[in-house]
Amino acid sequence: MTDLRLSEQQDAVVLASKAMTQDKAQAYEMLGMVKMSDFTRKLVTVSHIKVLAEFKETKKYKDLDIQDTKGNWLHVTKWEDFCNALGYSREKIDMDILNLSTFGEDFLETSQRLGLGYREMRKLRQLPEEARSEIVDADYSEATDKEDLIEKIEELSVKHAKEKESLTKQLESVKANYDAQAKVIANKDERLNKLDKELAKKSLLIETQTPDQRGSALREEATAISYKAEAILRGQVFQAFEALGAHQAETGIDHKQFMSGVLAEYQLILSELKERFGLDDTPSGEALPEWAREDYQPDGKLDESVTSILDEIEQDAHIQDAEVVG
């Protein structure tokens, strides 16, 4: 049984050796096909490019002994060494192989017959497939003019460049709009999250407050809003009326009716509030506010929430005045 296994292993080695020998022989045969041609010229024929493409794909160039164009023998292990031994750069052979795979044998032969250079072939490769097919798939006769074909490639290249530029601008515009929208959404989300947290805190506070505490909190909010409205009337509105009065004195233009109309609007709002909530003309009773009592002695101090609002209003007024002056 051991002898049988040894025999099988030996047979496998012999077969592998024969296969390797056959591959090597085929590689030298292919190399001979290439070197039989005038390989010192610049143009490599399509048939030779096909052979070189097979060399590269199958890596049959490895471990070959090749005589280069100067008569020196080289043991080749790399694709670049193989190309150099044949008298060409790796870049040129790779470009020829790329053109073959991109355009096919027929058009590559046509391009070589017409004398198209690598520059034109590169431009043709850069075109969209549809535009490239318009040239590659056309029928070319012996009378086909090289200049006409080059002009057609240039025309399609310019057209493609303009279309690419237009699409690039559209893409940049879409991206800019997307980024702007994303920023707006992010800001909104941030504000909403902040508002949700504040509402959650207030909701929790309300749930734990007694009716008296809740009522006091509501009065504080109403007081702050009232102070803000009063500050606007005594500050910004007062200043606006003074400006109108000064303009009237300077030019003789009467602004009194306009200002009377503004006050009438305020009075109408106050009347609607009194009617809507059934309010008295003057506060009275046990719920009389502290400031409305006869013995009220102001200490000159306001609640911090109120003073912060008044400070904010005053700051806004300063900014507006500065803008007017500027």
Side-chain angles (χ1 to χ4, degrees), residues 131-165:
R132 188 169 62 238
S133 298
E134 185 178 336
I135 293 180
V136 174
D137 297 339
D139 293 328
Y140 297 97
S141 65
E142 293 294 332
T144 300
D145 185 73
K146 170 185 176 181
E147 298 302 324
D148 290 341
L149 184 55
I150 291 178
E151 183 178 350
K152 182 65 175 178
I153 294 175
E154 290 288 345
E155 178 184 334
L156 290 175
S157 297
V158 171
K159 180 181 177 182
H160 171 59
K162 290 181 179 179
E163 292 176 350
K164 183 178 179 180
E165 182 181 2

PDB file of all heavy atoms in Angstrom, residues 131-165:
ATOM      1  N   ALA A 131     -21.006  58.174 -26.277  1.00  0.00           N
ATOM      2  CA  ALA A 131     -20.270  59.032 -27.211  1.00  0.00           C
ATOM      3  C   ALA A 131     -19.094  58.284 -27.824  1.00  0.00           C
ATOM      4  O   ALA A 131     -18.793  58.440 -29.008  1.00  0.00           O
ATOM      5  CB  ALA A 131     -19.788  60.283 -26.488  1.00  0.00           C
ATOM      6  N   ARG A 132     -18.423  57.449 -27.031  1.00  0.00           N
ATOM      7  CA  ARG A 132     -17.288  56.683 -27.539  1.00  0.00           C
ATOM      8  C   ARG A 132     -17.727  55.685 -28.599  1.00  0.00           C
ATOM      9  O   ARG A 132     -17.049  55.488 -29.618  1.00  0.00           O
ATOM     10  CB  ARG A 132     -16.605  55.970 -26.372  1.00  0.00           C
ATOM     11  CG  ARG A 132     -15.313  55.297 -26.757  1.00  0.00           C
ATOM     12  CD  ARG A 132     -14.540  54.833 -25.545  1.00  0.00           C
ATOM     13  NE  ARG A 132     -15.253  53.845 -24.767  1.00  0.00           N
ATOM     14  CZ  ARG A 132     -15.576  53.964 -23.497  1.00  0.00           C
ATOM     15  NH1 ARG A 132     -15.281  55.070 -22.841  1.00  0.00           N
ATOM     16  NH2 ARG A 132     -16.207  52.998 -22.855  1.00  0.00           N
ATOM     17  N   SER A 133     -18.890  55.068 -28.377  1.00  0.00           N
ATOM     18  CA  SER A 133     -19.396  54.089 -29.338  1.00  0.00           C
ATOM     19  C   SER A 133     -19.709  54.726 -30.675  1.00  0.00           C
ATOM     20  O   SER A 133     -19.617  54.077 -31.722  1.00  0.00           O
ATOM     21  CB  SER A 133     -20.658  53.413 -28.778  1.00  0.00           C
ATOM     22  OG  SER A 133     -20.361  52.721 -27.582  1.00  0.00           O
ATOM     23  N   GLU A 134     -20.084  56.005 -30.641  1.00  0.00           N
ATOM     24  CA  GLU A 134     -20.386  56.723 -31.882  1.00  0.00           C
ATOM     25  C   GLU A 134     -19.189  56.732 -32.817  1.00  0.00           C
ATOM     26  O   GLU A 134     -19.348  56.737 -34.049  1.00  0.00           O
ATOM     27  CB  GLU A 134     -20.806  58.156 -31.544  1.00  0.00           C
ATOM     28  CG  GLU A 134     -21.258  58.979 -32.736  1.00  0.00           C
ATOM     29  CD  GLU A 134     -21.711  60.367 -32.330  1.00  0.00           C
ATOM     30  OE1 GLU A 134     -22.112  60.544 -31.155  1.00  0.00           O
ATOM     31  OE2 GLU A 134     -21.674  61.278 -33.192  1.00  0.00           O
ATOM     32  N   ILE A 135     -17.992  56.717 -32.261  1.00  0.00           N
ATOM     33  CA  ILE A 135     -16.771  56.705 -33.070  1.00  0.00           C
ATOM     34  C   ILE A 135     -16.250  55.283 -33.268  1.00  0.00           C
ATOM     35  O   ILE A 135     -15.920  54.865 -34.380  1.00  0.00           O
ATOM     36  CB  ILE A 135     -15.691  57.577 -32.405  1.00  0.00           C
ATOM     37  CG1 ILE A 135     -16.119  59.048 -32.443  1.00  0.00           C
ATOM     38  CG2 ILE A 135     -14.344  57.393 -33.086  1.00  0.00           C
ATOM     39  CD1 ILE A 135     -15.139  60.001 -31.810  1.00  0.00           C
ATOM     40  N   VAL A 136     -16.198  54.505 -32.181  1.00  0.00           N
ATOM     41  CA  VAL A 136     -15.603  53.173 -32.239  1.00  0.00           C
ATOM     42  C   VAL A 136     -16.392  52.245 -33.155  1.00  0.00           C
ATOM     43  O   VAL A 136     -15.809  51.445 -33.906  1.00  0.00           O
ATOM     44  CB  VAL A 136     -15.504  52.578 -30.822  1.00  0.00           C
ATOM     45  CG1 VAL A 136     -15.027  51.128 -30.869  1.00  0.00           C
ATOM     46  CG2 VAL A 136     -14.557  53.403 -29.962  1.00  0.00           C
ATOM     47  N   ASP A 137     -17.722  52.330 -33.130  1.00  0.00           N
ATOM     48  CA  ASP A 137     -18.567  51.404 -33.888  1.00  0.00           C
ATOM     49  C   ASP A 137     -18.830  51.851 -35.319  1.00  0.00           C
ATOM     50  O   ASP A 137     -19.558  51.185 -36.056  1.00  0.00           O
ATOM     51  CB  ASP A 137     -19.911  51.216 -33.164  1.00  0.00           C
ATOM     52  CG  ASP A 137     -19.738  50.588 -31.794  1.00  0.00           C
ATOM     53  OD1 ASP A 137     -18.698  49.956 -31.574  1.00  0.00           O
ATOM     54  OD2 ASP A 137     -20.638  50.753 -30.942  1.00  0.00           O
ATOM     55  N   ALA A 138     -18.276  52.985 -35.725  1.00  0.00           N
ATOM     56  CA  ALA A 138     -18.503  53.471 -37.092  1.00  0.00           C
ATOM     57  C   ALA A 138     -17.694  52.640 -38.091  1.00  0.00           C
ATOM     58  O   ALA A 138     -16.708  51.990 -37.735  1.00  0.00           O
ATOM     59  CB  ALA A 138     -18.107  54.939 -37.185  1.00  0.00           C
ATOM     60  N   ASP A 139     -18.158  52.646 -39.348  1.00  0.00           N
ATOM     61  CA  ASP A 139     -17.444  51.947 -40.413  1.00  0.00           C
ATOM     62  C   ASP A 139     -16.434  52.899 -41.044  1.00  0.00           C
ATOM     63  O   ASP A 139     -16.780  54.012 -41.442  1.00  0.00           O
ATOM     64  CB  ASP A 139     -18.431  51.450 -41.478  1.00  0.00           C
ATOM     65  CG  ASP A 139     -19.346  50.364 -40.940  1.00  0.00           C
ATOM     66  OD1 ASP A 139     -18.899  49.603 -40.068  1.00  0.00           O
ATOM     67  OD2 ASP A 139     -20.509  50.289 -41.390  1.00  0.00           O
ATOM     68  N   TYR A 140     -15.203  52.420 -41.148  1.00  0.00           N
ATOM     69  CA  TYR A 140     -14.148  53.260 -41.706  1.00  0.00           C
ATOM     70  C   TYR A 140     -13.585  52.599 -42.967  1.00  0.00           C
ATOM     71  O   TYR A 140     -13.239  51.409 -42.964  1.00  0.00           O
ATOM     72  CB  TYR A 140     -13.022  53.464 -40.687  1.00  0.00           C
ATOM     73  CG  TYR A 140     -13.482  54.196 -39.439  1.00  0.00           C
ATOM     74  CD1 TYR A 140     -13.842  53.488 -38.295  1.00  0.00           C
ATOM     75  CD2 TYR A 140     -13.579  55.574 -39.421  1.00  0.00           C
ATOM     76  CE1 TYR A 140     -14.275  54.151 -37.160  1.00  0.00           C
ATOM     77  CE2 TYR A 140     -14.001  56.247 -38.295  1.00  0.00           C
ATOM     78  CZ  TYR A 140     -14.349  55.526 -37.158  1.00  0.00           C
ATOM     79  OH  TYR A 140     -14.786  56.191 -36.039  1.00  0.00           O
ATOM     80  N   SER A 141     -13.527  53.409 -44.008  1.00  0.00           N
ATOM     81  CA  SER A 141     -12.968  52.917 -45.274  1.00  0.00           C
ATOM     82  C   SER A 141     -11.498  53.296 -45.371  1.00  0.00           C
ATOM     83  O   SER A 141     -10.968  54.014 -44.520  1.00  0.00           O
ATOM     84  CB  SER A 141     -13.749  53.518 -46.449  1.00  0.00           C
ATOM     85  OG  SER A 141     -13.557  54.933 -46.471  1.00  0.00           O
ATOM     86  N   GLU A 142     -10.862  52.811 -46.429  1.00  0.00           N
ATOM     87  CA  GLU A 142      -9.459  53.140 -46.639  1.00  0.00           C
ATOM     88  C   GLU A 142      -9.259  54.632 -46.868  1.00  0.00           C
ATOM     89  O   GLU A 142      -8.188  55.182 -46.638  1.00  0.00           O
ATOM     90  CB  GLU A 142      -8.916  52.353 -47.837  1.00  0.00           C
ATOM     91  CG  GLU A 142      -8.835  50.850 -47.618  1.00  0.00           C
ATOM     92  CD  GLU A 142      -7.814  50.484 -46.549  1.00  0.00           C
ATOM     93  OE1 GLU A 142      -6.843  51.256 -46.384  1.00  0.00           O
ATOM     94  OE2 GLU A 142      -7.984  49.440 -45.897  1.00  0.00           O
ATOM     95  N   ALA A 143     -10.353  55.282 -47.336  1.00  0.00           N
ATOM     96  CA  ALA A 143     -10.254  56.710 -47.646  1.00  0.00           C
ATOM     97  C   ALA A 143     -10.557  57.601 -46.438  1.00  0.00           C
ATOM     98  O   ALA A 143     -10.572  58.825 -46.550  1.00  0.00           O
ATOM     99  CB  ALA A 143     -11.212  57.066 -48.782  1.00  0.00           C
ATOM    100  N   THR A 144     -10.817  56.990 -45.296  1.00  0.00           N
ATOM    101  CA  THR A 144     -11.126  57.782 -44.099  1.00  0.00           C
ATOM    102  C   THR A 144      -9.970  58.719 -43.771  1.00  0.00           C
ATOM    103  O   THR A 144      -8.802  58.310 -43.770  1.00  0.00           O
ATOM    104  CB  THR A 144     -11.401  56.859 -42.897  1.00  0.00           C
ATOM    105  OG1 THR A 144     -12.508  56.014 -43.206  1.00  0.00           O
ATOM    106  CG2 THR A 144     -11.730  57.687 -41.658  1.00  0.00           C
ATOM    107  N   ASP A 145     -10.313  59.970 -43.504  1.00  0.00           N
ATOM    108  CA  ASP A 145      -9.301  60.977 -43.236  1.00  0.00           C
ATOM    109  C   ASP A 145      -8.994  61.047 -41.739  1.00  0.00           C
ATOM    110  O   ASP A 145      -9.903  61.105 -40.910  1.00  0.00           O
ATOM    111  CB  ASP A 145      -9.774  62.350 -43.738  1.00  0.00           C
ATOM    112  CG  ASP A 145      -8.688  63.404 -43.580  1.00  0.00           C
ATOM    113  OD1 ASP A 145      -7.712  63.374 -44.351  1.00  0.00           O
ATOM    114  OD2 ASP A 145      -8.828  64.240 -42.684  1.00  0.00           O
ATOM    115  N   LYS A 146      -7.712  61.047 -41.389  1.00  0.00           N
ATOM    116  CA  LYS A 146      -7.284  61.098 -39.997  1.00  0.00           C
ATOM    117  C   LYS A 146      -7.735  62.393 -39.327  1.00  0.00           C
ATOM    118  O   LYS A 146      -8.237  62.382 -38.194  1.00  0.00           O
ATOM    119  CB  LYS A 146      -5.760  60.988 -39.923  1.00  0.00           C
ATOM    120  CG  LYS A 146      -5.185  61.267 -38.538  1.00  0.00           C
ATOM    121  CD  LYS A 146      -3.671  61.264 -38.575  1.00  0.00           C
ATOM    122  CE  LYS A 146      -3.096  61.645 -37.221  1.00  0.00           C
ATOM    123  NZ  LYS A 146      -1.613  61.684 -37.241  1.00  0.00           N
ATOM    124  N   GLU A 147      -7.596  63.518 -40.024  1.00  0.00           N
ATOM    125  CA  GLU A 147      -7.944  64.807 -39.442  1.00  0.00           C
ATOM    126  C   GLU A 147      -9.434  64.892 -39.115  1.00  0.00           C
ATOM    127  O   GLU A 147      -9.816  65.481 -38.097  1.00  0.00           O
ATOM    128  CB  GLU A 147      -7.532  65.947 -40.380  1.00  0.00           C
ATOM    129  CG  GLU A 147      -6.046  66.025 -40.644  1.00  0.00           C
ATOM    130  CD  GLU A 147      -5.250  66.183 -39.359  1.00  0.00           C
ATOM    131  OE1 GLU A 147      -5.742  66.877 -38.437  1.00  0.00           O
ATOM    132  OE2 GLU A 147      -4.147  65.615 -39.275  1.00  0.00           O
ATOM    133  N   ASP A 148     -10.253  64.308 -39.982  1.00  0.00           N
ATOM    134  CA  ASP A 148     -11.705  64.315 -39.721  1.00  0.00           C
ATOM    135  C   ASP A 148     -12.021  63.541 -38.446  1.00  0.00           C
ATOM    136  O   ASP A 148     -12.871  63.954 -37.645  1.00  0.00           O
ATOM    137  CB  ASP A 148     -12.464  63.711 -40.901  1.00  0.00           C
ATOM    138  CG  ASP A 148     -12.430  64.609 -42.126  1.00  0.00           C
ATOM    139  OD1 ASP A 148     -12.142  65.813 -41.961  1.00  0.00           O
ATOM    140  OD2 ASP A 148     -12.693  64.115 -43.233  1.00  0.00           O
ATOM    141  N   LEU A 149     -11.358  62.411 -38.266  1.00  0.00           N
ATOM    142  CA  LEU A 149     -11.602  61.590 -37.077  1.00  0.00           C
ATOM    143  C   LEU A 149     -11.120  62.311 -35.820  1.00  0.00           C
ATOM    144  O   LEU A 149     -11.803  62.312 -34.788  1.00  0.00           O
ATOM    145  CB  LEU A 149     -10.894  60.241 -37.221  1.00  0.00           C
ATOM    146  CG  LEU A 149     -11.143  59.228 -36.086  1.00  0.00           C
ATOM    147  CD1 LEU A 149     -12.619  58.985 -35.885  1.00  0.00           C
ATOM    148  CD2 LEU A 149     -10.416  57.922 -36.387  1.00  0.00           C
ATOM    149  N   ILE A 150      -9.950  62.940 -35.902  1.00  0.00           N
ATOM    150  CA  ILE A 150      -9.428  63.695 -34.761  1.00  0.00           C
ATOM    151  C   ILE A 150     -10.359  64.853 -34.422  1.00  0.00           C
ATOM    152  O   ILE A 150     -10.629  65.132 -33.241  1.00  0.00           O
ATOM    153  CB  ILE A 150      -8.000  64.204 -35.061  1.00  0.00           C
ATOM    154  CG1 ILE A 150      -7.022  63.032 -35.126  1.00  0.00           C
ATOM    155  CG2 ILE A 150      -7.558  65.207 -33.995  1.00  0.00           C
ATOM    156  CD1 ILE A 150      -5.606  63.433 -35.461  1.00  0.00           C
ATOM    157  N   GLU A 151     -10.871  65.537 -35.442  1.00  0.00           N
ATOM    158  CA  GLU A 151     -11.796  66.655 -35.221  1.00  0.00           C
ATOM    159  C   GLU A 151     -13.069  66.173 -34.528  1.00  0.00           C
ATOM    160  O   GLU A 151     -13.602  66.843 -33.632  1.00  0.00           O
ATOM    161  CB  GLU A 151     -12.134  67.304 -36.558  1.00  0.00           C
ATOM    162  CG  GLU A 151     -13.034  68.532 -36.425  1.00  0.00           C
ATOM    163  CD  GLU A 151     -13.311  69.179 -37.769  1.00  0.00           C
ATOM    164  OE1 GLU A 151     -12.662  68.810 -38.777  1.00  0.00           O
ATOM    165  OE2 GLU A 151     -14.208  70.058 -37.821  1.00  0.00           O
ATOM    166  N   LYS A 152     -13.544  64.985 -34.932  1.00  0.00           N
ATOM    167  CA  LYS A 152     -14.741  64.425 -34.295  1.00  0.00           C
ATOM    168  C   LYS A 152     -14.481  64.093 -32.830  1.00  0.00           C
ATOM    169  O   LYS A 152     -15.320  64.367 -31.954  1.00  0.00           O
ATOM    170  CB  LYS A 152     -15.168  63.155 -35.049  1.00  0.00           C
ATOM    171  CG  LYS A 152     -16.426  62.502 -34.513  1.00  0.00           C
ATOM    172  CD  LYS A 152     -17.641  63.390 -34.699  1.00  0.00           C
ATOM    173  CE  LYS A 152     -18.913  62.669 -34.278  1.00  0.00           C
ATOM    174  NZ  LYS A 152     -20.120  63.540 -34.399  1.00  0.00           N
ATOM    175  N   ILE A 153     -13.307  63.534 -32.534  1.00  0.00           N
ATOM    176  CA  ILE A 153     -12.956  63.223 -31.142  1.00  0.00           C
ATOM    177  C   ILE A 153     -12.868  64.499 -30.319  1.00  0.00           C
ATOM    178  O   ILE A 153     -13.358  64.564 -29.180  1.00  0.00           O
ATOM    179  CB  ILE A 153     -11.617  62.446 -31.100  1.00  0.00           C
ATOM    180  CG1 ILE A 153     -11.777  61.074 -31.746  1.00  0.00           C
ATOM    181  CG2 ILE A 153     -11.131  62.300 -29.660  1.00  0.00           C
ATOM    182  CD1 ILE A 153     -10.473  60.293 -31.862  1.00  0.00           C
ATOM    183  N   GLU A 154     -12.236  65.557 -30.890  1.00  0.00           N
ATOM    184  CA  GLU A 154     -12.116  66.843 -30.191  1.00  0.00           C
ATOM    185  C   GLU A 154     -13.495  67.432 -29.922  1.00  0.00           C
ATOM    186  O   GLU A 154     -13.766  67.959 -28.834  1.00  0.00           O
ATOM    187  CB  GLU A 154     -11.284  67.815 -31.019  1.00  0.00           C
ATOM    188  CG  GLU A 154      -9.804  67.453 -31.113  1.00  0.00           C
ATOM    189  CD  GLU A 154      -9.072  67.679 -29.808  1.00  0.00           C
ATOM    190  OE1 GLU A 154      -9.627  68.373 -28.932  1.00  0.00           O
ATOM    191  OE2 GLU A 154      -7.947  67.157 -29.656  1.00  0.00           O
ATOM    192  N   GLU A 155     -14.370  67.352 -30.909  1.00  0.00           N
ATOM    193  CA  GLU A 155     -15.724  67.914 -30.762  1.00  0.00           C
ATOM    194  C   GLU A 155     -16.480  67.224 -29.635  1.00  0.00           C
ATOM    195  O   GLU A 155     -17.105  67.878 -28.792  1.00  0.00           O
ATOM    196  CB  GLU A 155     -16.464  67.743 -32.087  1.00  0.00           C
ATOM    197  CG  GLU A 155     -17.915  68.232 -32.065  1.00  0.00           C
ATOM    198  CD  GLU A 155     -18.638  67.945 -33.368  1.00  0.00           C
ATOM    199  OE1 GLU A 155     -17.965  67.835 -34.418  1.00  0.00           O
ATOM    200  OE2 GLU A 155     -19.872  67.827 -33.344  1.00  0.00           O
ATOM    201  N   LEU A 156     -16.416  65.886 -29.607  1.00  0.00           N
ATOM    202  CA  LEU A 156     -17.102  65.140 -28.550  1.00  0.00           C
ATOM    203  C   LEU A 156     -16.451  65.384 -27.194  1.00  0.00           C
ATOM    204  O   LEU A 156     -17.138  65.408 -26.166  1.00  0.00           O
ATOM    205  CB  LEU A 156     -17.086  63.643 -28.883  1.00  0.00           C
ATOM    206  CG  LEU A 156     -17.971  63.209 -30.058  1.00  0.00           C
ATOM    207  CD1 LEU A 156     -17.771  61.731 -30.361  1.00  0.00           C
ATOM    208  CD2 LEU A 156     -19.445  63.481 -29.756  1.00  0.00           C
ATOM    209  N   SER A 157     -15.133  65.570 -27.171  1.00  0.00           N
ATOM    210  CA  SER A 157     -14.430  65.833 -25.911  1.00  0.00           C
ATOM    211  C   SER A 157     -14.860  67.164 -25.319  1.00  0.00           C
ATOM    212  O   SER A 157     -15.104  67.278 -24.105  1.00  0.00           O
ATOM    213  CB  SER A 157     -12.916  65.828 -26.138  1.00  0.00           C
ATOM    214  OG  SER A 157     -12.471  64.562 -26.572  1.00  0.00           O
ATOM    215  N   VAL A 158     -14.967  68.201 -26.174  1.00  0.00           N
ATOM    216  CA  VAL A 158     -15.403  69.518 -25.706  1.00  0.00           C
ATOM    217  C   VAL A 158     -16.836  69.442 -25.194  1.00  0.00           C
ATOM    218  O   VAL A 158     -17.173  70.001 -24.139  1.00  0.00           O
ATOM    219  CB  VAL A 158     -15.284  70.552 -26.845  1.00  0.00           C
ATOM    220  CG1 VAL A 158     -15.936  71.863 -26.430  1.00  0.00           C
ATOM    221  CG2 VAL A 158     -13.833  70.778 -27.204  1.00  0.00           C
ATOM    222  N   LYS A 159     -17.690  68.748 -25.938  1.00  0.00           N
ATOM    223  CA  LYS A 159     -19.089  68.598 -25.527  1.00  0.00           C
ATOM    224  C   LYS A 159     -19.183  67.878 -24.184  1.00  0.00           C
ATOM    225  O   LYS A 159     -19.940  68.283 -23.290  1.00  0.00           O
ATOM    226  CB  LYS A 159     -19.854  67.826 -26.599  1.00  0.00           C
ATOM    227  CG  LYS A 159     -21.321  67.621 -26.276  1.00  0.00           C
ATOM    228  CD  LYS A 159     -22.017  66.829 -27.380  1.00  0.00           C
ATOM    229  CE  LYS A 159     -23.476  66.560 -27.017  1.00  0.00           C
ATOM    230  NZ  LYS A 159     -24.155  65.747 -28.056  1.00  0.00           N
ATOM    231  N   HIS A 160     -18.400  66.801 -24.045  1.00  0.00           N
ATOM    232  CA  HIS A 160     -18.412  66.040 -22.790  1.00  0.00           C
ATOM    233  C   HIS A 160     -17.901  66.888 -21.631  1.00  0.00           C
ATOM    234  O   HIS A 160     -18.436  66.829 -20.513  1.00  0.00           O
ATOM    235  CB  HIS A 160     -17.553  64.796 -22.941  1.00  0.00           C
ATOM    236  CG  HIS A 160     -17.312  64.050 -21.663  1.00  0.00           C
ATOM    237  ND1 HIS A 160     -18.333  63.546 -20.888  1.00  0.00           N
ATOM    238  CD2 HIS A 160     -16.157  63.750 -21.004  1.00  0.00           C
ATOM    239  CE1 HIS A 160     -17.832  62.961 -19.816  1.00  0.00           C
ATOM    240  NE2 HIS A 160     -16.517  63.074 -19.872  1.00  0.00           N
ATOM    241  N   ALA A 161     -16.860  67.706 -21.887  1.00  0.00           N
ATOM    242  CA  ALA A 161     -16.297  68.564 -20.833  1.00  0.00           C
ATOM    243  C   ALA A 161     -17.336  69.566 -20.350  1.00  0.00           C
ATOM    244  O   ALA A 161     -17.456  69.819 -19.143  1.00  0.00           O
ATOM    245  CB  ALA A 161     -15.050  69.284 -21.352  1.00  0.00           C
ATOM    246  N   LYS A 162     -18.104  70.153 -21.290  1.00  0.00           N
ATOM    247  CA  LYS A 162     -19.138  71.116 -20.907  1.00  0.00           C
ATOM    248  C   LYS A 162     -20.245  70.435 -20.108  1.00  0.00           C
ATOM    249  O   LYS A 162     -20.727  70.975 -19.113  1.00  0.00           O
ATOM    250  CB  LYS A 162     -19.714  71.781 -22.154  1.00  0.00           C
ATOM    251  CG  LYS A 162     -18.753  72.735 -22.850  1.00  0.00           C
ATOM    252  CD  LYS A 162     -19.405  73.383 -24.063  1.00  0.00           C
ATOM    253  CE  LYS A 162     -18.447  74.361 -24.732  1.00  0.00           C
ATOM    254  NZ  LYS A 162     -19.053  74.996 -25.933  1.00  0.00           N
ATOM    255  N   GLU A 163     -20.657  69.259 -20.564  1.00  0.00           N
ATOM    256  CA  GLU A 163     -21.700  68.523 -19.838  1.00  0.00           C
ATOM    257  C   GLU A 163     -21.218  68.133 -18.442  1.00  0.00           C
ATOM    258  O   GLU A 163     -21.978  68.219 -17.465  1.00  0.00           O
ATOM    259  CB  GLU A 163     -22.091  67.272 -20.628  1.00  0.00           C
ATOM    260  CG  GLU A 163     -22.822  67.576 -21.930  1.00  0.00           C
ATOM    261  CD  GLU A 163     -23.098  66.317 -22.736  1.00  0.00           C
ATOM    262  OE1 GLU A 163     -22.552  65.252 -22.362  1.00  0.00           O
ATOM    263  OE2 GLU A 163     -23.853  66.397 -23.719  1.00  0.00           O
ATOM    264  N   LYS A 164     -19.951  67.722 -18.360  1.00  0.00           N
ATOM    265  CA  LYS A 164     -19.392  67.344 -17.057  1.00  0.00           C
ATOM    266  C   LYS A 164     -19.339  68.547 -16.123  1.00  0.00           C
ATOM    267  O   LYS A 164     -19.656  68.439 -14.931  1.00  0.00           O
ATOM    268  CB  LYS A 164     -17.995  66.760 -17.253  1.00  0.00           C
ATOM    269  CG  LYS A 164     -17.358  66.260 -15.981  1.00  0.00           C
ATOM    270  CD  LYS A 164     -15.995  65.657 -16.250  1.00  0.00           C
ATOM    271  CE  LYS A 164     -15.352  65.168 -14.951  1.00  0.00           C
ATOM    272  NZ  LYS A 164     -14.007  64.583 -15.213  1.00  0.00           N
ATOM    273  N   GLU A 165     -18.934  69.717 -16.672  1.00  0.00           N
ATOM    274  CA  GLU A 165     -18.873  70.938 -15.864  1.00  0.00           C
ATOM    275  C   GLU A 165     -20.259  71.333 -15.367  1.00  0.00           C
ATOM    276  O   GLU A 165     -20.431  71.727 -14.207  1.00  0.00           O
ATOM    277  CB  GLU A 165     -18.275  72.072 -16.694  1.00  0.00           C
ATOM    278  CG  GLU A 165     -18.120  73.372 -15.919  1.00  0.00           C
ATOM    279  CD  GLU A 165     -17.540  74.484 -16.777  1.00  0.00           C
ATOM    280  OE1 GLU A 165     -17.295  74.248 -17.975  1.00  0.00           O
ATOM    281  OE2 GLU A 165     -17.341  75.602 -16.247  1.00  0.00           O
TER     282      GLU A 165
END
